[in-house]
Amino acid sequence: MTSHSPDADALHATVSLGPSSFRARVESGQTLASCQALIALLPYRGTVLHARWSGEAVWSPLRASWPANSMLRQENATSHPRPGQLLLYAGRQSEPEILVAYGETRFASKFGPLFGNPVLTILERLDELARIGRSILETGASTLRIELMRNF
């Protein structure tokens, strides 16, 4: 008899920052509409910059790939993501974006706190994720790729 993990039925994605790739769980149980919106963008390829207003996080502007004038309703939205959480934001206070938290983060813009919907959680090597985040702070922009995994 084999044991069945609840995570075995979950969708998973690969999140790549520069040359490093990480496995991530799609958080469709928490934020179904937001996860569906993210999946519609996949495979996603964009630039990632350090999130100067938010602390230990990087962000990828979605203006080139997000449907014009489309906003997301808040679903389990947070402005304090845990390291490894990716938030999707498309609201009135800032442009559509993906935020990748790698350490202590308070999601914000120059207008104040932002609340993003958790769509992915990186499951491994958070120490390497933090190293990459600090590197982006020091050296500038990098690439972000997100793709659904076919086999977990």
Side-chain angles (χ1 to χ4, degrees), residues 66-96:
W66 192 257
N69 301 316
S70 177
M71 287 192 276
L72 284 175
R73 68 177 174 82
Q74 291 186 355
E75 297 179 281
N76 289 311
T78 184
S79 64
H80 294 85
R82 293 182 317 276
Q85 277 191 311
L86 280 75
L87 303 182
L88 181 60
Y89 176 84
R92 295 188 192 285
Q93 291 182 299
S94 187
E95 67 183 283

mmCIF file of all heavy atoms in Angstrom, residues 66-96:
data_model
loop_
_atom_site.group_PDB
_atom_site.id
_atom_site.type_symbol
_atom_site.label_atom_id
_atom_site.label_comp_id
_atom_site.label_asym_id
_atom_site.label_seq_id
_atom_site.Cartn_x
_atom_site.Cartn_y
_atom_site.Cartn_z
ATOM 1 N N TRP A 66 -0.111 41.635 -19.088
ATOM 2 C CA TRP A 66 -1.378 41.635 -18.349
ATOM 3 C C TRP A 66 -2.471 42.255 -19.208
ATOM 4 O O TRP A 66 -2.238 43.278 -19.856
ATOM 5 C CB TRP A 66 -1.222 42.416 -17.048
ATOM 6 C CG TRP A 66 -2.374 42.234 -16.113
ATOM 7 C CD1 TRP A 66 -3.385 43.135 -15.889
ATOM 8 C CD2 TRP A 66 -2.656 41.106 -15.314
ATOM 9 N NE1 TRP A 66 -4.266 42.613 -14.983
ATOM 10 C CE2 TRP A 66 -3.845 41.359 -14.615
ATOM 11 C CE3 TRP A 66 -2.019 39.876 -15.122
ATOM 12 C CZ2 TRP A 66 -4.411 40.455 -13.730
ATOM 13 C CZ3 TRP A 66 -2.583 38.970 -14.240
ATOM 14 C CH2 TRP A 66 -3.759 39.262 -13.565
ATOM 15 N N PRO A 67 -3.670 41.669 -19.219
ATOM 16 C CA PRO A 67 -4.774 42.259 -20.000
ATOM 17 C C PRO A 67 -5.071 43.691 -19.558
ATOM 18 O O PRO A 67 -5.199 43.965 -18.361
ATOM 19 C CB PRO A 67 -5.966 41.343 -19.692
ATOM 20 C CG PRO A 67 -5.365 40.074 -19.159
ATOM 21 C CD PRO A 67 -4.069 40.450 -18.511
ATOM 22 N N ALA A 68 -5.154 44.600 -20.507
ATOM 23 C CA ALA A 68 -5.367 46.023 -20.216
ATOM 24 C C ALA A 68 -6.608 46.234 -19.353
ATOM 25 O O ALA A 68 -7.652 45.612 -19.574
ATOM 26 C CB ALA A 68 -5.496 46.810 -21.513
ATOM 27 N N ASN A 69 -6.484 47.090 -18.351
ATOM 28 C CA ASN A 69 -7.583 47.481 -17.452
ATOM 29 C C ASN A 69 -8.185 46.321 -16.665
ATOM 30 O O ASN A 69 -9.302 46.438 -16.169
ATOM 31 C CB ASN A 69 -8.679 48.217 -18.224
ATOM 32 C CG ASN A 69 -8.152 49.460 -18.888
ATOM 33 O OD1 ASN A 69 -7.399 50.221 -18.286
ATOM 34 N ND2 ASN A 69 -8.508 49.657 -20.146
ATOM 35 N N SER A 70 -7.474 45.206 -16.568
ATOM 36 C CA SER A 70 -7.960 44.049 -15.827
ATOM 37 C C SER A 70 -7.412 44.091 -14.405
ATOM 38 O O SER A 70 -6.218 44.285 -14.210
ATOM 39 C CB SER A 70 -7.514 42.766 -16.536
ATOM 40 O OG SER A 70 -7.918 41.636 -15.796
ATOM 41 N N MET A 71 -8.296 43.933 -13.426
ATOM 42 C CA MET A 71 -7.869 43.925 -12.025
ATOM 43 C C MET A 71 -8.277 42.614 -11.378
ATOM 44 O O MET A 71 -9.229 41.962 -11.819
ATOM 45 C CB MET A 71 -8.481 45.099 -11.279
ATOM 46 C CG MET A 71 -7.841 46.414 -11.674
ATOM 47 S SD MET A 71 -8.292 47.750 -10.588
ATOM 48 C CE MET A 71 -9.839 48.226 -11.317
ATOM 49 N N LEU A 72 -7.556 42.257 -10.323
ATOM 50 C CA LEU A 72 -7.869 41.062 -9.543
ATOM 51 C C LEU A 72 -8.547 41.465 -8.244
ATOM 52 O O LEU A 72 -8.133 42.437 -7.616
ATOM 53 C CB LEU A 72 -6.590 40.316 -9.164
ATOM 54 C CG LEU A 72 -5.893 39.499 -10.215
ATOM 55 C CD1 LEU A 72 -4.582 38.954 -9.656
ATOM 56 C CD2 LEU A 72 -6.781 38.368 -10.695
ATOM 57 N N ARG A 73 -9.541 40.714 -7.838
ATOM 58 C CA ARG A 73 -10.092 40.925 -6.499
ATOM 59 C C ARG A 73 -9.135 40.284 -5.503
ATOM 60 O O ARG A 73 -8.364 39.384 -5.846
ATOM 61 C CB ARG A 73 -11.490 40.341 -6.388
ATOM 62 C CG ARG A 73 -11.551 38.836 -6.460
ATOM 63 C CD ARG A 73 -12.995 38.342 -6.269
ATOM 64 N NE ARG A 73 -13.085 36.923 -6.473
ATOM 65 C CZ ARG A 73 -12.787 36.001 -5.556
ATOM 66 N NH1 ARG A 73 -12.385 36.372 -4.363
ATOM 67 N NH2 ARG A 73 -12.902 34.717 -5.828
ATOM 68 N N GLN A 74 -9.163 40.754 -4.283
ATOM 69 C CA GLN A 74 -8.290 40.190 -3.258
ATOM 70 C C GLN A 74 -8.786 38.815 -2.841
ATOM 71 O O GLN A 74 -9.978 38.624 -2.594
ATOM 72 C CB GLN A 74 -8.212 41.115 -2.051
ATOM 73 C CG GLN A 74 -7.473 42.394 -2.349
ATOM 74 C CD GLN A 74 -7.263 43.250 -1.109
ATOM 75 O OE1 GLN A 74 -7.739 42.949 -0.016
ATOM 76 N NE2 GLN A 74 -6.543 44.337 -1.290
ATOM 77 N N GLU A 75 -7.842 37.858 -2.800
ATOM 78 C CA GLU A 75 -8.112 36.494 -2.332
ATOM 79 C C GLU A 75 -7.008 36.144 -1.334
ATOM 80 O O GLU A 75 -5.861 35.993 -1.723
ATOM 81 C CB GLU A 75 -8.031 35.476 -3.470
ATOM 82 C CG GLU A 75 -9.019 35.624 -4.587
ATOM 83 C CD GLU A 75 -8.779 34.555 -5.643
ATOM 84 O OE1 GLU A 75 -7.859 34.727 -6.455
ATOM 85 O OE2 GLU A 75 -9.516 33.559 -5.625
ATOM 86 N N ASN A 76 -7.357 36.036 -0.066
ATOM 87 C CA ASN A 76 -6.345 35.758 0.956
ATOM 88 C C ASN A 76 -5.139 36.671 0.784
ATOM 89 O O ASN A 76 -3.985 36.252 0.939
ATOM 90 C CB ASN A 76 -5.926 34.290 0.926
ATOM 91 C CG ASN A 76 -7.012 33.386 1.433
ATOM 92 O OD1 ASN A 76 -7.585 33.634 2.491
ATOM 93 N ND2 ASN A 76 -7.332 32.363 0.669
ATOM 94 N N ALA A 77 -5.393 37.902 0.413
ATOM 95 C CA ALA A 77 -4.335 38.863 0.100
ATOM 96 C C ALA A 77 -3.510 39.194 1.341
ATOM 97 O O ALA A 77 -4.023 39.208 2.457
ATOM 98 C CB ALA A 77 -4.940 40.134 -0.483
ATOM 99 N N THR A 78 -2.240 39.459 1.104
ATOM 100 C CA THR A 78 -1.329 39.797 2.186
ATOM 101 C C THR A 78 -0.355 40.875 1.737
ATOM 102 O O THR A 78 -0.046 40.990 0.554
ATOM 103 C CB THR A 78 -0.552 38.555 2.685
ATOM 104 O OG1 THR A 78 0.251 38.923 3.805
ATOM 105 C CG2 THR A 78 0.329 37.954 1.590
ATOM 106 N N SER A 79 0.111 41.645 2.698
ATOM 107 C CA SER A 79 1.205 42.575 2.424
ATOM 108 C C SER A 79 2.476 42.095 3.125
ATOM 109 O O SER A 79 3.503 42.748 3.053
ATOM 110 C CB SER A 79 0.845 43.999 2.882
ATOM 111 O OG SER A 79 0.675 44.037 4.277
ATOM 112 N N HIS A 80 2.403 40.948 3.807
ATOM 113 C CA HIS A 80 3.536 40.377 4.535
ATOM 114 C C HIS A 80 3.778 38.934 4.094
ATOM 115 O O HIS A 80 3.556 37.995 4.869
ATOM 116 C CB HIS A 80 3.289 40.417 6.048
ATOM 117 C CG HIS A 80 3.225 41.788 6.608
ATOM 118 N ND1 HIS A 80 2.069 42.541 6.621
ATOM 119 C CD2 HIS A 80 4.182 42.559 7.151
ATOM 120 C CE1 HIS A 80 2.327 43.704 7.164
ATOM 121 N NE2 HIS A 80 3.596 43.755 7.487
ATOM 122 N N PRO A 81 4.226 38.721 2.858
ATOM 123 C CA PRO A 81 4.462 37.344 2.402
ATOM 124 C C PRO A 81 5.649 36.703 3.122
ATOM 125 O O PRO A 81 6.573 37.405 3.567
ATOM 126 C CB PRO A 81 4.757 37.511 0.915
ATOM 127 C CG PRO A 81 5.331 38.888 0.810
ATOM 128 C CD PRO A 81 4.588 39.699 1.838
ATOM 129 N N ARG A 82 5.603 35.399 3.236
ATOM 130 C CA ARG A 82 6.718 34.636 3.798
ATOM 131 C C ARG A 82 7.793 34.451 2.727
ATOM 132 O O ARG A 82 7.489 34.475 1.532
ATOM 133 C CB ARG A 82 6.229 33.264 4.261
ATOM 134 C CG ARG A 82 5.274 33.298 5.436
ATOM 135 C CD ARG A 82 4.871 31.889 5.881
ATOM 136 N NE ARG A 82 4.566 30.972 4.818
ATOM 137 C CZ ARG A 82 3.390 30.858 4.200
ATOM 138 N NH1 ARG A 82 2.394 31.653 4.534
ATOM 139 N NH2 ARG A 82 3.199 29.971 3.251
ATOM 140 N N PRO A 83 9.039 34.238 3.124
ATOM 141 C CA PRO A 83 10.074 33.929 2.133
ATOM 142 C C PRO A 83 9.647 32.734 1.270
ATOM 143 O O PRO A 83 9.158 31.732 1.789
ATOM 144 C CB PRO A 83 11.295 33.586 2.986
ATOM 145 C CG PRO A 83 11.089 34.357 4.257
ATOM 146 C CD PRO A 83 9.593 34.306 4.482
ATOM 147 N N GLY A 84 9.791 32.892 -0.031
ATOM 148 C CA GLY A 84 9.399 31.846 -0.970
ATOM 149 C C GLY A 84 8.008 32.027 -1.539
ATOM 150 O O GLY A 84 7.637 31.336 -2.485
ATOM 151 N N GLN A 85 7.215 32.945 -1.000
ATOM 152 C CA GLN A 85 5.881 33.184 -1.554
ATOM 153 C C GLN A 85 5.966 34.147 -2.726
ATOM 154 O O GLN A 85 6.721 35.124 -2.688
ATOM 155 C CB GLN A 85 4.936 33.776 -0.516
ATOM 156 C CG GLN A 85 4.311 32.765 0.389
ATOM 157 C CD GLN A 85 3.188 33.373 1.215
ATOM 158 O OE1 GLN A 85 3.344 34.427 1.829
ATOM 159 N NE2 GLN A 85 2.062 32.702 1.250
ATOM 160 N N LEU A 86 5.173 33.863 -3.762
ATOM 161 C CA LEU A 86 5.014 34.768 -4.891
ATOM 162 C C LEU A 86 3.601 35.316 -4.835
ATOM 163 O O LEU A 86 2.630 34.554 -4.720
ATOM 164 C CB LEU A 86 5.226 34.054 -6.224
ATOM 165 C CG LEU A 86 6.684 33.841 -6.632
ATOM 166 C CD1 LEU A 86 7.333 32.727 -5.829
ATOM 167 C CD2 LEU A 86 6.756 33.539 -8.116
ATOM 168 N N LEU A 87 3.486 36.641 -4.885
ATOM 169 C CA LEU A 87 2.190 37.315 -4.872
ATOM 170 C C LEU A 87 1.892 37.857 -6.254
ATOM 171 O O LEU A 87 2.796 38.317 -6.955
ATOM 172 C CB LEU A 87 2.192 38.485 -3.889
ATOM 173 C CG LEU A 87 2.545 38.201 -2.434
ATOM 174 C CD1 LEU A 87 2.435 39.484 -1.615
ATOM 175 C CD2 LEU A 87 1.673 37.109 -1.852
ATOM 176 N N LEU A 88 0.629 37.823 -6.624
ATOM 177 C CA LEU A 88 0.156 38.436 -7.859
ATOM 178 C C LEU A 88 -0.690 39.638 -7.470
ATOM 179 O O LEU A 88 -1.588 39.529 -6.634
ATOM 180 C CB LEU A 88 -0.665 37.438 -8.675
ATOM 181 C CG LEU A 88 -1.215 37.902 -10.015
ATOM 182 C CD1 LEU A 88 -0.098 38.324 -10.961
ATOM 183 C CD2 LEU A 88 -2.056 36.802 -10.643
ATOM 184 N N TYR A 89 -0.359 40.782 -8.060
ATOM 185 C CA TYR A 89 -1.087 42.013 -7.757
ATOM 186 C C TYR A 89 -1.537 42.660 -9.058
ATOM 187 O O TYR A 89 -0.754 42.813 -9.993
ATOM 188 C CB TYR A 89 -0.198 43.002 -6.993
ATOM 189 C CG TYR A 89 -0.891 44.314 -6.746
ATOM 190 C CD1 TYR A 89 -1.739 44.477 -5.669
ATOM 191 C CD2 TYR A 89 -0.740 45.374 -7.635
ATOM 192 C CE1 TYR A 89 -2.412 45.673 -5.454
ATOM 193 C CE2 TYR A 89 -1.406 46.572 -7.423
ATOM 194 C CZ TYR A 89 -2.237 46.714 -6.345
ATOM 195 O OH TYR A 89 -2.907 47.889 -6.143
ATOM 196 N N ALA A 90 -2.802 43.027 -9.108
ATOM 197 C CA ALA A 90 -3.350 43.829 -10.207
ATOM 198 C C ALA A 90 -4.493 44.641 -9.616
ATOM 199 O O ALA A 90 -5.649 44.234 -9.649
ATOM 200 C CB ALA A 90 -3.829 42.951 -11.359
ATOM 201 N N GLY A 91 -4.116 45.767 -9.021
ATOM 202 C CA GLY A 91 -5.092 46.627 -8.364
ATOM 203 C C GLY A 91 -4.939 48.064 -8.793
ATOM 204 O O GLY A 91 -4.241 48.376 -9.747
ATOM 205 N N ARG A 92 -5.570 48.954 -8.060
ATOM 206 C CA ARG A 92 -5.609 50.375 -8.426
ATOM 207 C C ARG A 92 -4.370 51.161 -7.992
ATOM 208 O O ARG A 92 -4.075 52.197 -8.565
ATOM 209 C CB ARG A 92 -6.838 51.027 -7.813
ATOM 210 C CG ARG A 92 -8.130 50.488 -8.353
ATOM 211 C CD ARG A 92 -9.310 51.325 -7.849
ATOM 212 N NE ARG A 92 -10.581 50.698 -8.101
ATOM 213 C CZ ARG A 92 -11.184 50.618 -9.278
ATOM 214 N NH1 ARG A 92 -10.596 51.121 -10.334
ATOM 215 N NH2 ARG A 92 -12.355 50.027 -9.401
ATOM 216 N N GLN A 93 -3.650 50.702 -6.970
ATOM 217 C CA GLN A 93 -2.571 51.509 -6.393
ATOM 218 C C GLN A 93 -1.238 51.384 -7.116
ATOM 219 O O GLN A 93 -0.347 52.183 -6.871
ATOM 220 C CB GLN A 93 -2.364 51.140 -4.933
ATOM 221 C CG GLN A 93 -3.516 51.566 -4.064
ATOM 222 C CD GLN A 93 -3.233 51.230 -2.623
ATOM 223 O OE1 GLN A 93 -3.052 50.073 -2.274
ATOM 224 N NE2 GLN A 93 -3.181 52.251 -1.797
ATOM 225 N N SER A 94 -1.067 50.386 -7.951
ATOM 226 C CA SER A 94 0.213 50.170 -8.618
ATOM 227 C C SER A 94 -0.049 49.346 -9.876
ATOM 228 O O SER A 94 -1.154 48.853 -10.086
ATOM 229 C CB SER A 94 1.178 49.438 -7.679
ATOM 230 O OG SER A 94 2.464 49.363 -8.236
ATOM 231 N N GLU A 95 0.989 49.205 -10.677
ATOM 232 C CA GLU A 95 0.836 48.415 -11.901
ATOM 233 C C GLU A 95 0.769 46.922 -11.580
ATOM 234 O O GLU A 95 1.212 46.503 -10.506
ATOM 235 C CB GLU A 95 1.995 48.700 -12.844
ATOM 236 C CG GLU A 95 3.343 48.210 -12.334
ATOM 237 C CD GLU A 95 4.459 48.589 -13.271
ATOM 238 O OE1 GLU A 95 4.597 47.937 -14.312
ATOM 239 O OE2 GLU A 95 5.193 49.536 -12.956
ATOM 240 N N PRO A 96 0.232 46.104 -12.493
ATOM 241 C CA PRO A 96 0.208 44.650 -12.271
ATOM 242 C C PRO A 96 1.633 44.117 -12.127
ATOM 243 O O PRO A 96 2.539 44.541 -12.852
ATOM 244 C CB PRO A 96 -0.460 44.099 -13.531
ATOM 245 C CG PRO A 96 -1.202 45.248 -14.113
ATOM 246 C CD PRO A 96 -0.413 46.470 -13.756
#
